[in-house]
Amino acid sequence: MAVILDCEITAHKEVAPDHRRMVARAPEIAAAARPGQFCMIEVREGFCPFLRRPMSIERIFRDGISFLYKIVGHGTRLLAGAPTGMVINVQGPLGNGFPIAQNAPRCILVAGGVGVAPMPGLAEAIMLQTGRVPEVILAARTERFLLCENEFSQMGCPVTLATDDGSVGYKGYAADCLRLLAPDDNTIVYACGPTVMMRTVHEVCAEADACCYASLEAEMACGDGVCMGCVVETNTNNEFGKMARVCREGPVFDTRMICWSAYDDR
Ligand SMILES: Cc1cc2nc3c(=O)[nH]c(=O)nc-3n(C[C@H](O)[C@H](O)[C@H](O)COP(=O)(O)OP(=O)(O)OC[C@H]3O[C@@H](n4cnc5c(N)ncnc54)[C@H](O)[C@@H]3O)c2cc1C
Ligand code: FES
């Protein structure tokens, strides 16, 4: 059940150029949150900007949650200026979250850029609930945008790095790196990152018969299932024909459900 709360920012730091981690005191949201869910954040009090901004929950603590975000425009720039101690209004947790299979022998988390945001919380939950240690692929354009490597290493997760420019780790894309790890029908892959990355990760998984869940992004107005502004096309029928709301039926989808060709001309 989502709540709307005024939350104190208890930490807010730069973690890479134009990337911040913000921790908010929000025990009620933390108590209800699952990895892969998100919050709608009012980046500044008042009507400008009018819309809240959706942010994945990175980690879930006893008394709060953290967010990891990239500064891309007006809203995230305003948020980046919010100092520790300031109070912001947060609505959450929203969306469905990642399903965690008790019996999956192998889990691989694939993250592109700031798409890593929901993954540390997911890795923690997989270990806690199943006793298994997930493998992690972290991909980015270049070394300085690889986020959370230390966090995963401290949890004991084997981490494979991939960069487009080869500045560190495997030179190439996340999906090529995943292929090298040879997922099979006993593997569950969790992906979050740019759409093209999630689509190619889905293709590798489909070839290998591995199950894949991806956390999709869409521009959101209400974040809570009302405005229909966030719909994506799927391959199955539901109450909205073939459309599904990223904020309500998602943001996490079994990638076999997504009509990836609908993204062809975007
Ligand atoms: C469920 C969900 C979870 C998200 N989690 C995170 C996260 O953990 N960390 C993070 O950095 N970002 C996350 N995003 C994306 C984030 O919401 C946008 O980057 C943010 O809303 C941009 O706001 P802005 O005002 O700074 O940018 P704007 O000035 O509104 O736009 C700047 C650019 O960002 C694009 N953009 C705006 N909103 C979105 C959106 N919702 N999705 C994709 N592109 C967008 C615009 O098309 C434009 O190109 C998430 C989005 C969704 C839907
Ligand atoms: S953002 Fe309004 S329905 Fe999803």
Side-chain angles (χ1 to χ4, degrees), residues 1-263:
M1 170 77 183
V3 292
I4 301 180
L5 286 179
D6 283 333
C7 306
E8 183 193 349
I9 299 173
T10 55
H12 202 174
K13 286 205 176 103
E14 183 174 82
V15 292
D18 288 333
H19 289 73
R20 300 274 197 283
R21 174 174 287 117
M22 180 177 77
V23 185
R25 192 185 312 283
E28 294 90 339
I29 296 177
R34 295 190 306 276
Q37 290 188 294
F38 67 98
C39 293
M40 293 293 280
I41 300 179
E42 188 181 72
V43 293
R44 185 166 72 178
E45 215 179 330
F47 295 107
C48 187
F50 185 64
L51 299 175
R52 291 165 180 264
R53 297 299 193 260
M55 288 291 160
S56 300
I57 295 172
E58 185 203 21
R59 288 180 88 160
I60 303 165
F61 310 108
R62 199 147 34 108
D63 62 347
I65 49 180
S66 64
F67 303 98
L68 183 64
Y69 67 93
K70 180 177 178 183
I71 302 168
V72 294
H74 184 51
T76 44
R77 206 169 302 120
L78 282 173
L79 187 62
T84 301
M86 190 175 140
V87 169
I88 51 162
N89 193 270
V90 180
Q91 176 185 11
L94 295 159
N96 57 356
F98 288 109
I100 296 178
Q102 300 302 320
N103 53 358
R106 189 178 182 204
C107 296
I108 306 178
L109 317 190
V110 186
V114 76
V116 71
M119 296 301 186
L122 175 62
E124 264 176 346
I126 289 173
M127 290 194 283
L128 203 68
Q129 292 178 31
T130 72
R132 291 191 186 81
V133 180
E135 296 156 67
V136 179
I137 296 173
L138 292 181
R141 270 184 295 136
T142 191
E143 181 174 10
R144 67 181 187 284
F145 296 123
L146 285 168
L147 307 169
C148 299
E149 185 188 355
N150 286 345
E151 282 81 351
F152 290 115
S153 298
Q154 279 162 14
M155 289 182 213
C157 304
V159 180
T160 307
L161 303 178
T163 48
D164 296 359
D165 64 1
S167 48
V168 68
Y170 174 81
K171 182 177 188 311
Y173 298 129
D176 303 323
C177 205
L178 174 64
R179 193 173 272 115
L180 294 178
L181 295 188
D184 61 18
D185 58 355
N186 280 316
T187 309
I188 298 189
V189 174
Y190 299 92
C192 188
T195 304
V196 61
M197 183 208 92
M198 294 192 281
R199 184 176 181 170
T200 48
V201 164
H202 157 71
E203 286 163 2
V204 171
C205 291
E207 279 166 30
D209 232 357
C211 184
C212 180
Y213 295 101
S215 179
L216 300 193
E217 278 198 12
E219 297 204 12
M220 291 184 176
C222 71
D224 206 10
V226 179
C227 72
M228 301 298 286
C230 64
V231 292
V232 289
E233 195 174 333
T234 70
N235 298 316
T236 51
N237 274 309
N238 62 41
E239 60 178 310
F240 307 114
K242 286 197 179 313
M243 308 311 276
R245 296 164 296 183
V246 172
C247 70
R248 188 55 81 87
E249 285 72 53
V252 177
F253 292 90
D254 181 328
T255 58
R256 288 167 298 195
M257 264 188 67
I258 298 301
C259 179
W260 292 102
S261 59
Y263 286 96

